[in-house]
Amino acid sequence: MERKTGLILALDVTDRMEAVAISEKVAGYVDAIKIGYPLVLSTGMDMISQLSKFAPIIADFKVADIPNTNRLICEQVFKAGADAVIVQGFTGHDSLEAAVKLAKEQEKDIYVVTEMSHPGALDFMQQVGEGIAKMAADAKASGVVAPATRPERVAEIRKIIGNELSIISPGVGAQGGSASDVIKAGANWVIVGRSIYQAEDPAMAAKKLVDEMKEFL
Ligand code: NUP
């Protein structure tokens, strides 16, 4: 994924026409569009190829299975036209390696969730976040997903993974995180959903975020 703006749209709407309309409006401000279960379950997998004409597509399916099933899932998602898949890291090295191997064969990307951005991530996930980050680096994943709600954790994770891997970071806006703060802490991209797609003017909301991050990229 090429970094031009540092912004990834999280398109968690459930209506096909709305998804296309928002993508059209913000395409000039985003480096990728992240879609997940809300949109794909309501509209179908062909939504991926339909939106891929606006920007590269990151499929946020948080894949979390045994190696063989991880590989089978990623195969289908890439076949549908996605450029990247988000997988969970807590399933361990072999599950991750199966996804990364397939992605490399197809010149696609795998992003690994280290610890999530919501408060409940402190219950279990945070304790293993650093180990997952190290595993993602060892497996040569393209990058990790780390929380904009905790820029200090993003800075920690950056130290562990070095500069080979990217950090894509959700939690800006609706979840309370700041785009410029997390970019300063070491994220390469922010992932933003509601603050853009629920805004009266999504293009303006996206532009504001891009302008805010510009000097720190
Ligand atoms: O830790 C994570 N936090 C998170 O919010 C990992 C994610 N993949 N996400 C996703 O990012 C979440 O599912 C949603 O699609 C997006 C954030 O959306 P919003 O809070 O900006 O609306």
Side-chain angles (χ1 to χ4, degrees):
M1 184 167 44
E2 196 191 339
R3 187 167 75 166
K4 293 189 200 128
T5 64
L7 180 61
I8 297 168
L9 169 68
L11 192 51
D12 295 322
V13 297
T14 54
D15 178 81
R16 181 179 292 269
M17 302 240 295
E18 192 185 357
V20 172
I22 293 169
S23 298
E24 221 158 19
K25 284 181 195 148
V26 306
Y29 300 108
V30 300
D31 290 333
I33 297 172
K34 181 183 82 65
I35 71 176
Y37 294 113
L39 183 56
V40 169
L41 291 177
S42 59
T43 63
M45 282 290 279
D46 64 314
M47 196 75 238
I48 294 177
S49 64
Q50 193 174 356
L51 293 179
S52 67
K53 59 176 188 263
F54 298 110
I57 301 297
I58 301 174
D60 186 358
F61 291 144
K62 297 191 183 69
V63 183
D65 217 309
I66 60 167
N68 187 57
T69 309
N70 267 13
R71 180 178 59 78
L72 290 170
I73 294 169
C74 291
E75 213 160 38
Q76 291 307 314
V77 182
F78 291 140
K79 199 167 131 196
D83 299 277
V85 176
I86 293 177
V87 304
Q88 287 287 12
F90 60 70
T91 45
H93 71 280
D94 48 353
S95 295
L96 173 59
E97 284 160 10
V100 170
K101 181 169 182 291
L102 178 82
K104 290 217 185 295
E105 284 164 11
Q106 305 199 6
E107 296 182 6
K108 308 277 188 177
D109 293 310
I110 296 290
Y111 293 96
V112 186
V113 179
T114 54
E115 89 191 39
M116 294 184 72
S117 57
H118 61 309
L122 303 184
D123 294 347
F124 303 107
M125 284 193 95
Q126 189 173 77
Q127 290 89 304
V128 294
E130 285 156 22
I132 291 174
K134 164 111 184 30
M135 179 185 68
D138 290 345
K140 298 194 172 7
S142 299
V144 300
V145 184
T149 46
R150 294 177 217 108
E152 70 287 356
R153 293 291 294 162
V154 170
E156 270 308 306
I157 286 165
R158 172 57 76 200
K159 279 191 216 151
I160 293 166
I161 64 173
N163 289 322
E164 283 291 300
L165 276 73
S166 300
I167 299 179
I168 61 176
S169 187
V172 168
Q175 296 180 53
S178 139
S180 47
D181 284 355
V182 77
I183 293 291
K184 281 189 257 179
N188 302 92
W189 280 275
V190 294
I191 298 171
V192 183
R194 285 164 287 179
S195 306
I196 296 175
Y197 68 74
Q198 289 179 348
E200 212 160 288
D201 185 343
M204 188 50 70
K207 181 180 186 307
K208 262 193 192 157
L209 285 159
V210 170
D211 288 344
E212 177 192 330
M213 291 187 288
K214 217 173 244 166
E215 62 182 293
F216 307 110
L217 282 183

